Amino acid sequence: MAAKIVAGAVAAYALSPIDLIPDFIPVLGYLDDIILVPLGIALAVRMIPAALMAEFRAEAVSMDRRPSRWAAAFIVGLWFCGLGAGVLWFWGRSR
């Protein structure tokens, strides 16, 4: 349970607009994110019991499935639709 709390706190910090050092401060603004988020992830991973981590890794290896080509084609199609809509919007505004 403690690992879940730490992982949730790290995710909340990474996604939160409120930072320890505001991002608009050059270099230091992103430096706290570059240091604190990986350290928090490492702490959460260390807090997971070894037996449970071994079970999760074995399950991940056994799932050896490749991503769906149809899903990949759908996502690429969405990107092309978005790109086309953006080009049409920009082209319409430039006239």
Side-chain angles (χ1 to χ4, degrees), residues 3-4 44-45 47-63:
K4 287 182 181 182
V45 168
M47 293 176 76
I48 298 172
L52 196 56
M53 184 63 85
E55 179 185 331
F56 292 152
R57 288 187 175 157
E59 184 180 345
V61 168
S62 71
M63 291 179 66

Side-chain angles (χ1 to χ4, degrees), residues 10-11 13-15 31-43:
V10 170
Y13 179 77
L15 297 174
L31 189 62
D32 69 329
D33 293 333
I34 291 173
I35 293 172
L36 291 178
V37 173
L39 286 177
I41 292 171
L43 177 64

